[in-house]
Coordinates of all heavy atoms in Angstrom, one line a residue:
M23 N 0.8 -1.2 0.0 CA 0.0 0.0 0.0 C 0.9 1.2 -0.1 O 1.9 1.3 0.8 CB -0.9 0.0 1.2 CG -1.9 1.1 1.3 SD -3.1 0.7 2.5 CE -3.4 2.3 3.2
R24 N 0.5 2.3 -0.9 CA 1.3 3.5 -0.9 C 1.1 4.3 0.3 O 0.0 4.3 0.9 CB 0.9 4.3 -2.1 CG 1.3 3.7 -3.5 CD 0.9 4.5 -4.6 NE 1.5 5.8 -4.4 CZ 1.0 6.9 -5.1 NH1 0.0 6.9 -5.9 NH2 1.6 8.1 -4.9
T25 N 2.2 5.1 0.7 CA 2.0 6.1 1.7 C 1.3 7.2 1.2 O 1.5 7.8 0.1 CB 3.4 6.6 2.1 OG1 4.2 5.5 2.6 CG2 3.3 7.7 3.3
P26 N 0.1 7.7 1.9 CA -0.7 8.8 1.4 C 0.1 10.1 1.3 O 1.0 10.4 2.2 CB -1.8 8.8 2.4 CG -1.6 7.9 3.5 CD -0.3 7.1 3.2
D27 N -0.2 10.9 0.4 CA 0.4 12.3 0.2 C -0.4 13.3 1.1 O 0.1 14.3 1.5 CB 0.4 12.8 -1.3 CG 1.2 11.8 -2.1 OD1 2.2 11.3 -1.6 OD2 0.6 11.5 -3.3
V28 N -1.7 12.9 1.3 CA -2.5 13.9 2.1 C -3.2 13.0 3.2 O -3.7 12.0 2.9 CB -3.6 14.5 1.2 CG1 -4.6 15.4 2.0 CG2 -3.0 15.2 0.0
V29 N -3.1 13.5 4.4 CA -3.8 12.9 5.5 C -4.6 13.9 6.3 O -4.1 14.9 6.6 CB -2.7 12.3 6.5 CG1 -3.3 11.6 7.7 CG2 -1.8 11.3 5.8
L30 N -5.9 13.6 6.5 CA -6.8 14.3 7.2 C -6.8 13.8 8.6 O -7.3 12.7 9.0 CB -8.3 14.2 6.7 CG -8.4 14.7 5.2 CD1 -9.8 14.6 4.8 CD2 -7.9 16.2 5.0
C31 N -6.3 14.7 9.6 CA -6.2 14.3 11.0 C -7.6 14.5 11.6 O -8.0 15.7 11.7 CB -5.1 15.1 11.7 SG -3.6 14.8 11.0
P32 N -8.1 13.5 12.2 CA -9.4 13.7 13.0 C -9.3 14.8 14.0 O -8.4 14.8 14.9 CB -9.8 12.4 13.7 CG -9.0 11.5 12.8 CD -7.7 12.2 12.4
G33 N -10.2 15.9 13.9 CA -10.1 17.0 14.8 C -8.9 18.0 14.7 O -8.7 18.8 15.5
G34 N -8.2 17.8 13.7 CA -7.0 18.7 13.5 C -6.7 19.0 12.0 O -7.5 19.0 11.2
P35 N -5.4 19.1 11.7 CA -5.0 19.7 10.3 C -5.0 18.6 9.3 O -5.2 17.4 9.5 CB -3.6 20.1 10.6 CG -3.0 19.2 11.6 CD -4.2 18.9 12.6
M36 N -4.7 19.0 8.1 CA -4.5 18.2 6.8 C -3.0 18.2 6.8 O -2.3 19.2 6.7 CB -5.2 18.8 5.8 CG -4.9 18.0 4.5 SD -5.8 18.6 2.9 CE -5.2 20.2 2.8
L37 N -2.3 17.0 6.7 CA -0.9 16.9 6.5 C -0.7 16.6 5.0 O -1.3 15.8 4.4 CB -0.4 15.7 7.3 CG -0.7 15.7 8.8 CD1 -0.1 14.6 9.5 CD2 -0.2 17.1 9.4
L38 N 0.3 17.4 4.6 CA 0.8 17.2 3.2 C 2.2 16.7 3.2 O 3.1 17.4 3.9 CB 0.7 18.6 2.4 CG -0.6 19.3 2.2 CD1 -0.3 20.6 1.5 CD2 -1.6 18.4 1.5
R39 N 2.5 15.7 2.4 CA 3.8 15.4 2.3 C 4.5 15.8 1.1 O 3.8 15.7 -0.1 CB 4.0 13.7 2.2 CG 3.4 13.0 3.5 CD 3.6 11.6 3.4 NE 2.8 10.9 4.3 CZ 3.1 10.8 5.7 NH1 4.1 11.4 6.1 NH2 2.2 10.2 6.4
G40 N 5.6 16.3 1.2 CA 6.5 16.9 0.1 C 6.1 18.3 -0.3 O 5.6 19.0 0.5
D41 N 6.7 18.7 -1.4 CA 6.6 20.1 -1.8 C 5.3 20.4 -2.4 O 4.7 19.6 -3.2 CB 7.6 20.3 -3.0 CG 9.0 20.2 -2.6 OD1 9.2 20.0 -1.4 OD2 9.9 20.2 -3.4
H42 N 4.7 21.6 -2.1 CA 3.4 22.0 -2.5 C 3.3 23.5 -2.5 O 4.0 24.2 -1.9 CB 2.2 21.5 -1.6 CG 2.0 20.0 -1.5 ND1 1.3 19.4 -2.5 CD2 2.5 19.1 -0.8 CE1 1.2 18.1 -2.3 NE2 2.0 17.8 -1.2
V43 N 2.3 24.0 -3.4 CA 2.0 25.3 -3.3 C 0.6 25.4 -2.8 O -0.4 24.8 -3.4 CB 2.1 26.0 -4.7 CG1 1.6 27.5 -4.6 CG2 3.5 26.1 -5.2
V44 N 0.3 26.1 -1.8 CA -1.0 26.1 -1.1 C -1.7 27.6 -1.3 O -0.9 28.5 -1.0 CB -0.9 25.9 0.4 CG1 -2.3 26.0 1.1 CG2 -0.3 24.5 0.7
Q45 N -2.8 27.7 -1.8 CA -3.6 29.0 -2.0 C -4.4 29.1 -0.8 O -5.3 28.2 -0.6 CB -4.2 28.9 -3.2 CG -5.0 30.3 -3.5 CD -5.5 30.3 -5.0 OE1 -4.8 30.1 -5.9 NE2 -6.8 30.7 -5.1
D46 N -4.3 30.2 -0.2 CA -5.2 30.6 1.0 C -6.5 31.2 0.5 O -6.8 31.4 -0.8 CB -4.6 31.4 2.1 CG -4.2 32.8 1.6 OD1 -4.9 33.3 0.6 OD2 -3.3 33.4 2.2
A47 N -7.5 31.4 1.5 CA -8.8 32.0 1.1 C -8.8 33.2 0.4 O -9.8 33.6 -0.3 CB -9.7 32.1 2.5
E48 N -7.7 34.1 0.6 CA -7.6 35.3 -0.1 C -6.8 35.2 -1.4 O -6.6 36.3 -2.0 CB -6.8 36.3 0.9 CG -7.6 36.8 2.0 CD -7.8 35.8 3.2 OE1 -6.8 35.1 3.4 OE2 -8.9 35.7 3.7
G49 N -6.5 34.1 -1.8 CA -5.9 33.9 -3.1 C -4.3 34.0 -3.1 O -3.8 33.8 -4.1
R50 N -3.7 34.2 -1.9 CA -2.3 34.2 -1.8 C -1.8 32.8 -1.8 O -2.4 31.8 -1.3 CB -1.9 34.8 -0.5 CG -2.2 36.3 -0.4 CD -1.7 36.9 0.9 NE -2.3 36.2 2.1 CZ -3.2 36.9 2.8 NH1 -3.5 38.2 2.7 NH2 -3.7 36.2 3.8
T51 N -0.6 32.7 -2.4 CA 0.0 31.3 -2.5 C 1.1 31.3 -1.5 O 1.8 32.3 -1.2 CB 0.5 31.0 -3.9 OG1 1.4 32.1 -4.2 CG2 -0.6 30.9 -4.8
H52 N 1.3 30.0 -0.9 CA 2.4 29.8 0.0 C 3.1 28.5 -0.4 O 2.4 27.5 -0.5 CB 1.8 29.6 1.5 CG 0.8 30.6 1.8 ND1 1.3 31.8 2.7 CD2 -0.4 30.9 1.5 CE1 0.3 32.5 2.9 NE2 -0.8 32.1 2.2
E53 N 4.4 28.5 -0.6 CA 5.2 27.4 -0.9 C 5.6 26.6 0.3 O 6.1 27.3 1.3 CB 6.3 27.8 -1.7 CG 6.0 28.1 -3.2 CD 7.4 28.1 -4.0 OE1 8.2 27.2 -3.9 OE2 7.5 29.2 -4.7
T54 N 5.7 25.4 0.3 CA 6.3 24.5 1.3 C 7.2 23.5 0.8 O 6.8 22.9 -0.3 CB 5.1 23.8 2.2 OG1 5.8 23.1 3.2 CG2 4.2 23.0 1.4
R55 N 8.3 23.5 1.3 CA 9.2 22.5 0.8 C 9.7 21.5 2.1 O 10.6 20.8 2.0 CB 10.6 23.1 0.3 CG 10.2 24.0 -0.8 CD 11.4 24.4 -1.6 NE 11.1 25.3 -2.7 CZ 10.8 24.8 -3.9 NH1 10.7 23.5 -4.1 NH2 10.5 25.6 -4.9
R56 N 8.9 21.5 3.1 CA 9.0 20.7 4.2 C 8.6 19.2 3.9 O 7.8 19.0 3.1 CB 8.3 21.1 5.5 CG 8.6 22.6 5.8 CD 7.7 23.1 6.8 NE 8.0 22.5 8.1 CZ 7.6 22.8 9.3 NH1 6.8 24.0 9.4 NH2 7.8 22.3 10.4
P57 N 9.2 18.2 4.6 CA 8.9 16.9 4.4 C 7.4 16.6 4.7 O 6.7 15.9 3.9 CB 9.7 16.1 5.4 CG 10.9 16.8 5.7 CD 10.5 18.4 5.5
V58 N 6.9 17.3 5.8 CA 5.4 17.3 6.1 C 5.0 18.6 6.4 O 5.7 19.2 7.4 CB 5.2 16.2 7.2 CG1 3.6 16.3 7.5 CG2 5.6 14.8 6.8
S59 N 3.8 19.1 5.9 CA 3.3 20.4 6.3 C 1.9 20.2 6.8 O 1.2 19.3 6.3 CB 3.3 21.3 5.1 OG 4.6 21.5 4.6
A60 N 1.5 21.1 7.9 CA 0.2 20.9 8.4 C -0.7 22.0 8.0 O -0.3 23.2 8.4 CB 0.2 20.8 9.9
I61 N -1.8 21.8 7.3 CA -2.7 22.8 6.9 C -3.9 23.0 7.9 O -4.5 21.9 8.2 CB -3.3 22.5 5.5 CG1 -2.1 22.3 4.4 CG2 -4.2 23.7 5.0 CD1 -1.2 23.4 4.2
C62 N -4.1 24.1 8.4 CA -5.2 24.3 9.3 C -6.6 24.0 8.7 O -6.8 24.5 7.6 CB -5.2 25.8 9.8 SG -6.5 26.2 11.1
R63 N -7.4 23.3 9.3 CA -8.8 23.0 8.9 C -9.7 23.6 9.9 O -11.0 23.7 9.5 CB -9.0 21.6 8.8 CG -8.2 20.9 7.7 CD -8.8 19.6 7.3 NE -8.9 18.6 8.5 CZ -9.8 17.8 8.7 NH1 -10.8 17.7 7.8 NH2 -9.8 16.9 9.7
C64 N -9.3 24.1 11.1 CA -10.3 24.7 11.9 C -10.4 26.2 11.7 O -11.4 26.8 12.3 CB -9.9 24.4 13.4 SG -8.5 25.4 14.0
L65 N -9.5 26.8 11.0 CA -9.5 28.3 10.7 C -9.3 29.1 11.9 O -9.6 30.3 11.8 CB -10.8 28.7 9.9 CG -11.1 27.9 8.7 CD1 -12.4 28.4 8.1 CD2 -10.0 28.1 7.6
R66 N -8.8 28.6 12.9 CA -8.5 29.4 14.1 C -7.0 29.7 14.3 O -6.5 30.3 15.2 CB -8.9 28.6 15.4 CG -10.4 28.3 15.4 CD -11.2 29.6 15.7 NE -12.6 29.4 15.9 CZ -13.6 29.8 15.2 NH1 -13.3 30.6 14.1 NH2 -14.8 29.5 15.5
S67 N -6.1 29.1 13.3 CA -4.7 29.4 13.5 C -4.3 30.8 13.3 O -4.9 31.5 12.4 CB -4.0 28.4 12.5 OG -2.6 28.7 12.4
A68 N -3.3 31.3 14.1 CA -2.8 32.6 13.9 C -1.8 32.7 12.7 O -1.3 33.7 12.4 CB -2.1 33.1 15.2
E69 N -1.5 31.4 12.1 CA -0.5 31.3 11.1 C -1.1 30.8 9.8 O -0.4 30.1 9.0 CB 0.6 30.4 11.5 CG 1.2 30.8 12.8 CD 2.1 32.0 12.7 OE1 2.6 32.4 11.6 OE2 2.3 32.8 13.7
L70 N -2.4 31.1 9.5 CA -3.0 30.4 8.3 C -2.3 30.7 7.1 O -1.6 31.7 6.9 CB -4.4 31.1 8.2 CG -5.5 30.6 9.2 CD1 -6.7 31.5 9.0 CD2 -5.8 29.2 9.1
P71 N -2.1 29.7 6.2 CA -2.9 28.5 6.2 C -2.4 27.4 7.0 O -2.8 26.3 7.0 CB -2.9 28.2 4.7 CG -1.5 28.6 4.3 CD -1.3 29.8 5.0
W72 N -1.2 27.6 7.8 CA -0.6 26.5 8.5 C -1.2 26.3 9.8 O -1.7 27.3 10.5 CB 0.9 26.9 8.8 CG 1.6 27.3 7.4 CD1 2.1 28.6 7.2 CD2 1.8 26.7 6.1 NE1 2.7 28.7 5.9 CE2 2.3 27.5 5.3 CE3 1.3 25.4 5.7 CZ2 2.6 27.2 4.0 CZ3 1.7 25.0 4.5 CH2 2.2 25.9 3.6
C73 N -1.3 25.2 10.3 CA -1.7 24.8 11.6 C -0.8 25.3 12.7 O 0.4 25.0 12.6 CB -1.9 23.2 11.7 SG -2.2 22.6 13.4
D74 N -1.2 25.9 13.8 CA -0.3 26.3 14.8 C -0.6 25.6 16.2 O -0.1 25.9 17.1 CB -0.3 27.9 15.0 CG -1.6 28.4 15.6 OD1 -2.6 27.6 15.7 OD2 -1.7 29.6 15.9
G75 N -1.5 24.6 16.0 CA -1.9 23.8 17.2 C -3.1 24.3 17.9 O -3.5 23.7 18.9
T76 N -3.6 25.5 17.6 CA -4.8 26.0 18.3 C -6.0 25.1 18.3 O -6.8 25.1 19.3 CB -5.2 27.4 17.6 OG1 -4.1 28.3 17.6 CG2 -6.4 28.0 18.2
H77 N -6.1 24.2 17.3 CA -7.2 23.2 17.2 C -7.4 22.5 18.5 O -8.5 22.1 19.0 CB -7.2 22.3 16.1 CG -6.0 21.5 16.1 ND1 -4.7 21.8 15.5 CD2 -5.8 20.3 16.6 CE1 -3.9 20.8 15.7 NE2 -4.6 19.9 16.3
V78 N -6.2 22.2 19.3 CA -6.4 21.4 20.4 C -7.1 22.1 21.6 O -7.6 21.5 22.6 CB -5.0 20.9 21.0 CG1 -4.2 20.1 20.0 CG2 -4.2 22.0 21.4
L79 N -7.3 23.4 21.5 CA -8.0 24.2 22.4 C -9.5 24.3 22.2 O -10.2 24.7 23.1 CB -7.4 25.6 22.5 CG -5.9 25.8 22.8 CD1 -5.5 27.2 22.7 CD2 -5.5 25.2 24.1
L80 N -9.9 23.9 21.1 CA -11.4 24.0 20.7 C -12.1 22.8 21.3 O -11.6 21.7 21.5 CB -11.5 24.0 19.2 CG -10.8 25.1 18.4 CD1 -10.9 24.8 16.9 CD2 -11.4 26.5 18.8
P81 N -13.4 23.1 21.6 CA -14.1 22.0 22.1 C -14.4 21.0 20.9 O -14.3 21.4 19.7 CB -15.5 22.7 22.5 CG -15.5 24.1 21.9 CD -14.0 24.4 21.6
D82 N -14.6 19.7 21.3 CA -14.7 18.7 20.1 C -15.7 19.1 19.0 O -15.5 18.9 17.9 CB -15.3 17.4 20.7 CG -14.1 16.7 21.5 OD1 -12.9 17.1 21.4 OD2 -14.4 15.7 22.2
E83 N -16.9 19.7 19.4 CA -17.8 20.0 18.3 C -17.4 21.2 17.4 O -18.0 21.3 16.4 CB -19.3 20.4 19.0 CG -19.3 21.7 19.8 CD -18.9 21.4 21.3 OE1 -18.3 20.4 21.6 OE2 -19.0 22.4 22.0
R84 N -16.3 21.9 17.7 CA -15.9 22.9 16.8 C -14.6 22.6 16.1 O -14.0 23.3 15.3 CB -15.6 24.2 17.7 CG -16.9 24.7 18.2 CD -16.9 26.0 18.8 NE -16.4 27.0 17.8 CZ -15.9 28.2 18.2 NH1 -15.9 28.6 19.5 NH2 -15.5 29.0 17.3
R85 N -14.1 21.3 16.3 CA -13.0 20.8 15.6 C -13.4 20.3 14.3 O -14.5 19.7 14.1 CB -12.3 19.7 16.4 CG -11.6 20.2 17.6 CD -10.8 19.1 18.2 NE -10.0 19.5 19.3 CZ -9.1 18.7 19.8 NH1 -8.8 17.5 19.3 NH2 -8.4 19.0 20.9
P86 N -12.5 20.3 13.3 CA -12.8 19.7 12.0 C -13.0 18.2 12.0 O -12.3 17.6 12.9 CB -11.6 20.0 11.1 CG -10.5 20.5 12.1 CD -11.1 20.9 13.3
R87 N -13.7 17.6 11.2 CA -14.0 16.2 11.1 C -13.1 15.5 10.1 O -12.7 16.0 9.3 CB -15.4 15.8 10.9 CG -16.4 16.6 11.8 CD -17.4 15.6 12.3 NE -18.2 16.3 13.3 CZ -18.2 16.3 14.6 NH1 -17.3 15.5 15.1 NH2 -19.0 17.0 15.4
Ligands
LIG125 S1 -6.1 22.6 12.5 FE1 -4.6 23.1 13.9 S2 -4.9 25.3 14.3 FE2 -6.5 24.8 13.0

């Protein structure tokens, strides 16, 4: 079985493996060349589009599925 390139973490971010260009909600692009990058899905990060861990402070019902 292949290693997934994209992983949706229950209650947390989307993990991307490898190089990507991510477009945020305002249309700005962000390059990543890290082995694994975490994209915020809760929209509460202070570092959007990247996850800064804020999702762990949210109640379960406000976390991404
Ligand atoms: S998913 Fe981690 S801060 Fe939003």
